[in-house]
Structure formats: C-alpha cells, structure tokens
Amino acid sequence: MNTEIDIAAPTIADRSTYQAQLDMLRIREKEHSRAGDAIAAARRRLPMVEVPADSPLIGAAGPVTLLDAFEGRRQLIAYYQMWHAGAPAAQQCPGCTFFNSQVRELAYLHSRDVTYATLCQGSYEQSVRYRDFMGWDVPWYSAQPSLDVLLGGRAPFVLACYLRSGDRVFETYWTTGRGVEAMEQTYGLLDLTAYGRQEPWEDSPAGWPQNIPDPARVDGRPTAQWSRIRAGRSDDLGTAG
C-alpha cells in the first residue's frame, strides 16, 4: 500500500485498523455525550432570579417590554448582540455576526413553547438595518434602555434563558465566551473533520493547517457579510457623517 501523500494528513490504514481506532474513540465520544447530559440535568435544577418583566425594549412596532418578547410562549432564549455605535457594518462584531447568522429555523423551538430573539445592545434604528442587510428574520429588539437591569455589567455578549410565569419573568441561565457555541453548528461540524477548526490554539499534529487567527473575519469584514455584498445588498447603517 502506498502510504505517501503530498499534504499533512492522517496516516493511511486499512479499513479494519481505522475502524478499531474509531471504535475506541467512540467510547470517549459517548462518555462526552453522557457528561453533557448530566451537565444539562444540573442546569435544569439551577435556581432562578426574577427580572423586571416590564424592562423596556424597542421593536418594529416601537416600545415593548421583555414580557412582550416572549410572544406568549413560556420560555425565551435571548442573545445580547454587541453593537459598536456609529460604526459601519464592516466594523460590527464578527463573533456576534458568526453566532447570530446560524440561528435560522425557529419552528423547533416554538414547538417546545420557546421563543428566540436577539436583544441588541445598540439602537434599534441602526441595528435593525444590520439585521436586514444580513437577511436575518429572527425577532429583533434593542435592549439599550434596559442593559443595566438585564445584563448588570455582564459583557461583552451574553446568551440568556428566561421563564415566564404569568406576568412575571425569571432568568434561569446565562453564558458567554465559548458557552455561546451552543448557538451554532459550524464548529461542531469542523470538529469532526481531520483538520478541525484550523485555529492556532487547537491541539493538532505538527504540520496541520492552523492559519486562521480570526475565524469570524475575512478581509476586514465579518465573514458572512461578503455573500451579502456580492448579492448587491446595501450595508448602509445610516452611520455615515
């Protein structure tokens, strides 16, 4: 068997050797899944804290409240998107763009009585133009009037879960950093590939490609913006002087 290839890659093996090692890895994968299930079970047993249900938001119809953002459902998942006031689209947060771009089909959440919404940290007028440029159709609000109450200094970006009981609202969970990876499938798929995420921090064999220092930005823009630019969409956020 020819074992020479012209790029850095896994060693070549016959099917039985490959499957034997994959079977060993599968044991660890199942342990990982069960550990995740146990963490989720502990998460469901966390206490909750009440937040003002009348916290003001701004939406398409004008002023609304956090309670309104539930759209009558029992639970709300809210992503607090960062916003750089006065900055053009190219300078908006690439990470928030990365994560929010991947929340698309909401029917499965709705079937479990859960609403998803973006609560942007910037003004509604500018940020909704960004949403429209990106082509996102998730519910969109400005949480700018309520950031001190709802985030309480937690930053720079937050994914939070809420439970409604009548007219009362409770926060049941929040996370940031890599915890927000729950919003996306890209990393999960890349983690299954031979080269992984191709980011410098990963533990990969010598010679593996790891030359993506900013995985959410390409040529000075959040990566997902380029397809919108090529499609002729305007990225004018009304921020030009």
Side-chain angles (χ1 to χ4, degrees):
M1 176 183 295
N2 180 12
T3 59
E4 297 298 324
I5 55 176
D6 60 1
I7 57 173
T11 57
I12 300 174
D14 57 42
R15 170 65 65 172
S16 61
T17 301
Y18 161 76
Q19 190 61 49
Q21 294 196 33
L22 180 57
D23 289 344
M24 292 177 62
L25 179 65
R26 195 78 76 210
I27 294 172
R28 297 176 61 189
E29 288 180 333
K30 290 180 178 180
E31 291 173 348
H32 177 74
S33 295
R34 288 191 289 270
D37 291 342
I39 291 171
R43 189 181 296 117
R44 291 191 292 273
R45 288 164 172 78
L46 287 171
M48 60 186 184
V49 60
E50 189 164 9
V51 297
D54 61 354
S55 298
L57 309 173
I58 310 267
V64 293
T65 66
L66 179 63
L67 183 63
D68 294 325
F70 280 75
E71 298 180 347
R73 299 185 181 91
R74 178 69 67 183
Q75 296 186 90
L76 170 67
I77 300 172
Y79 181 64
Y80 289 84
Q81 172 139 339
M82 294 172 58
W83 191 254
H84 302 302
Q91 296 177 18
Q92 293 304 325
C93 178
C96 289
T97 301
F98 172 75
F99 289 117
N100 229 347
S101 289
Q102 299 180 69
V103 182
R104 301 270 53 85
E105 180 54 70
L106 303 181
Y108 299 102
L109 293 175
H110 294 171
S111 71
R112 288 162 175 78
D113 211 17
V114 178
T115 294
Y116 173 87
T118 297
L119 306 187
C120 189
Q121 299 181 42
S123 73
Y124 182 79
E125 180 181 10
Q126 287 185 13
S127 67
V128 77
R129 291 172 75 157
Y130 189 65
R131 180 205 63 181
D132 293 345
F133 160 62
M134 294 302 301
W136 300 335
D137 57 2
V138 298
W140 191 276
Y141 304 92
S142 168
Q144 198 172 42
S146 300
L147 291 178
D148 288 344
V149 172
L150 295 178
L151 286 185
R154 294 174 290 182
F157 54 92
V158 167
L159 180 65
C161 297
Y162 299 95
L163 175 68
R164 178 179 64 85
S165 178
D167 292 336
R168 300 173 71 186
V169 173
F170 301 86
E171 182 183 305
T172 60
Y173 179 74
W174 74 275
T175 189
T176 189
R178 290 192 62 184
V180 177
E181 289 182 10
M183 295 174 64
E184 54 79 33
Q185 78 282 348
T186 298
Y187 282 151
L189 292 173
L190 287 173
D191 286 344
L192 301 179
T193 68
Y195 293 144
R197 305 183 188 190
Q198 301 177 48
E199 297 177 21
W201 62 269
E202 285 182 288
D203 179 7
S204 293
W208 255 229
Q210 290 182 294
N211 55 1
I212 303 180
D214 189 347
R217 190 187 296 273
V218 170
D219 293 336
R221 279 182 178 269
T223 305
Q225 289 186 8
W226 285 110
S227 61
R228 279 76 174 177
I229 292 292
R230 286 192 292 270
R233 293 184 188 172
S234 172
D235 66 351
D236 178 13
L237 305 183
T239 59

